[in-house]
Each structure stands twice: as structure tokens, then as C-alpha cells.
């Protein structure tokens, strides 16, 4: 059974204090790994898709990396507006419907 | 690009009534749309996968007669919660997948409160 585990559950950073969020996964054939950002009371906002080990993608202060077992979302010099819940999801090759299996998320709080 | 809308954004209804939620892809065609439910402090749980012109595929434990899904066009899917009860109160979120792409784009969600 596909599993997605995110850690830590919650993270508090000072503005400018860089850190990484972890997403460990087990899946029977990875089609893609996705990172989303979710603000309270809103739908998830797409950040990145990673397809194969060694792939990296960047967007502003965020950088996502992928290995065969896990993905990291690196946040460089975060700002208070980066506070949100970050969700990781995997899509398996076996899933013909392209459904996503989500982790429980990491709640990030960046204080001034 | 890749904007998904939902309507209504929130709804309050009495127990026993039915509620319809619309999900639209505004600037792209979506072969497949998905419906998720999210309880407070929990992650998204897939309810069903909806393909245009065919019957939806429901996840285990989701009652298809209670959660009716219609995907009549490449830009519109609807979820009807029939005979809603307080335990159906939740945040319902839809997503749409671009044709030939893996990425899903999510709507803003609909908060349902059943009294």
C-alpha cells in the first residue's frame, strides 16, 4: 500500500532561518511527487512536480528535491508570508486514474 | 493559467436536505476531476475520481448513493450531498487534471455545515 509520511508535523522558524521539510514515501512505481501549499480555509496551491530521483525544482525561496525514498522542500531565508501548511502527495504508476495520495502535511509558522 | 473555481464557497443547510457543489476549470479542459474531503487538522482524503462522460469511481468507504457526482463536460463536475447529516459537515475540495498531464489544480474549497 502506498504511504506518504511528512515530518515534522509542525515547524516554527524565525524570519531568515532556513530549514527543510521531509516527505518519505513508499509507492509501487512512482509516476510523480507533488508539493502543494495550503493556507487556512483554502484549497491547495500547486508548487512543484518531481518525476525522477535527482530532480530538483526551484521557485523563489523554495527548492524541492527527490530521491528514491524521499523528497525535501528546502526553504531559504523564509518570510512570514511563507507560513502555511505544506502538503506532499504521490501518484503511482498503478493508478490509472491519476489520483493523489497525500501526507498529513507540515504546518510552518515563520515569525518576524 | 490552470484556474479551478468552486461554488458555493460555503453553505449551511438543515439535516435531510441535499446540497450541490460545482467545480469548474476556467481556462483549461479537464478530462478528469477529483473530489476530496478535509476534516479540521487533517489532510485531504480522496472521495472519488470523475471522468467526463462516464461514471465516477468512488474510494472505499464512500457511499456513491449519498455523494452523487456528475461530470457532464470537460469543464464542469458537480458533487451532490444527498440527505445531508451533521457528520457530512466538512471542507470539500475539487481538483482538475489537465489533459495529458499529471498535475492536479485545486479549487478554493466549499465549507459545508449541516445543522
Amino acid at each position: 500500500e502506498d504511504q506518504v509520511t511528512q515530518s515534522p508535523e509542525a515547524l516554527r522558524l524565525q524570519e531568515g532561518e532556513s530549514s527543510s521539510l521531509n516527505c518519505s514515501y513508499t509507492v509501487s512505481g512512482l509516476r510523480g511527487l507533488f508539493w502543494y501549499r495550503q493556507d487556512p480555509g483554502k484549497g491547495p496551491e500547486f508548487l512543484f512536480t518531481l518525476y525522477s530521483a535527482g530532480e530538483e525544482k526551484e521557485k523563489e525561496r523554495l527548492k524541492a528535491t527527490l530521491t528514491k525514498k524521499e523528497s525535501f522542500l528546502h526553504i531559504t531565508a523564509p518570510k512570514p508570508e511563507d507560513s502555511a501548511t505544506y502538503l506532499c502527495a504521490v501518484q503511482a504508476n498503478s493508478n490509472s486514474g491519476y489520483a493523489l495520495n497525500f501526507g498529513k502535511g507540515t504546518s510552518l509558522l515563520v515569525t518576524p | 493559467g490552470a484556474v479551478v473555481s468552486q461554488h458555493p464557497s460555503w453553505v449551511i443547510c438543515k439535516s435531510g436536505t441535499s446540497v450541490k457543489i460545482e467545480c469548474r476549470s476556467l481556462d483549461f479542459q479537464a478530462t478528469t476531476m477529483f473530489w476530496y474531503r478535509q476534516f479540521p487538522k487533517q489532510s485531504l482524503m480522496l472521495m472519488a475520481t470523475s471522468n467526463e462522460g462516464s461514471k465516477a469511481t468512488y474510494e472505499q468507504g464512500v457511499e456513491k448513493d449519498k455523494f452523487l457526482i456528475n461530470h457532464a463536460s470537460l469543464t464542469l463536475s458537480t458533487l451532490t450531498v444527498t440527505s445531508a447529516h451533521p457528520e457530512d459537515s466538512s471542507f470539500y475540495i475539487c481538483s482538475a487534471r489537465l489533459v495529458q498531464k499529471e498535475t492536479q489544480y485545486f479549487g478554493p474549497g466549499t465549507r459545508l455545515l449541516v445543522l
Side-chain angles (χ1 to χ4, degrees):
Chain A
E1 185 179 325
D2 301 342
Q3 283 195 329
V4 182
T5 305
Q6 290 188 248
S7 61
E9 286 187 18
L11 180 62
R12 183 180 181 127
L13 299 173
Q14 288 239 308
E15 184 171 4
E17 180 187 0
S18 301
S19 188
S20 295
L21 312 183
N22 177 264
C23 172
S24 298
Y25 66 91
T26 54
V27 64
S28 52
L30 180 71
R31 175 182 281 144
L33 184 141
F34 303 80
W35 283 98
Y36 289 87
R37 167 191 171 130
Q38 186 176 25
D39 292 298
K42 297 189 177 181
E45 174 189 345
F46 172 71
L47 295 174
F48 303 109
T49 307
L50 301 168
Y51 295 102
S52 57
E55 190 174 1
E56 298 182 351
K57 289 193 176 172
E58 285 189 70
K59 179 181 178 181
E60 297 180 354
R61 295 179 292 282
L62 300 177
K63 178 181 176 181
T65 61
L66 180 66
T67 72
K68 289 185 178 180
K69 294 182 179 180
E70 58 192 349
S71 176
F72 291 94
L73 185 65
H74 307 277
I75 303 177
T76 302
K79 298 182 178 181
E81 53 261 43
D82 295 323
S83 298
T85 295
Y86 290 85
L87 298 170
C88 169
V90 297
Q91 195 176 72
N93 277 327
S94 59
N95 192 327
S96 59
Y98 295 85
L100 294 176
N101 185 358
F102 279 89
K104 293 185 177 181
T106 293
S107 177
L108 174 65
L109 176 63
V110 183
T111 57
Chain B
V3 178
V4 178
S5 71
Q6 276 185 247
H7 178 80
S9 55
W10 59 270
V11 58
I12 301 174
C13 69
K14 291 182 179 180
S15 185
T17 61
S18 294
V19 174
K20 180 185 281 189
I21 303 170
E22 288 188 352
C23 176
R24 293 181 185 272
S25 55
L26 297 184
D27 53 358
F28 66 99
Q29 292 185 327
T31 305
T32 309
M33 289 184 170
F34 305 84
W35 288 94
Y36 295 82
R37 182 165 52 183
Q38 187 175 34
F39 292 105
K41 304 292 184 182
Q42 301 290 316
S43 192
L44 282 75
M45 296 299 296
L46 179 67
M47 299 175 65
T49 301
S50 166
N51 289 296
E52 185 263 339
S54 61
K55 290 184 178 181
T57 302
Y58 291 81
E59 294 300 298
Q60 195 170 14
V62 178
E63 300 176 56
K64 62 180 181 181
D65 293 332
K66 181 168 185 61
F67 299 99
L68 300 179
I69 292 173
N70 183 277
H71 193 158
S73 75
L74 285 173
T75 59
L76 173 64
S77 177
T78 60
L79 168 68
T80 301
V81 183
T82 61
S83 187
H85 291 287
E87 56 265 31
D88 298 323
S89 299
S90 188
F91 191 48
Y92 291 87
I93 312 174
C94 73
S95 70
R97 181 177 72 87
L98 278 76
V99 177
Q100 303 298 327
K101 298 288 185 182
E102 291 82 13
T103 301
Q104 292 180 29
Y105 295 90
F106 285 81
T110 296
R111 187 161 302 282
L112 170 64
L113 177 60
V114 184
L115 302 177

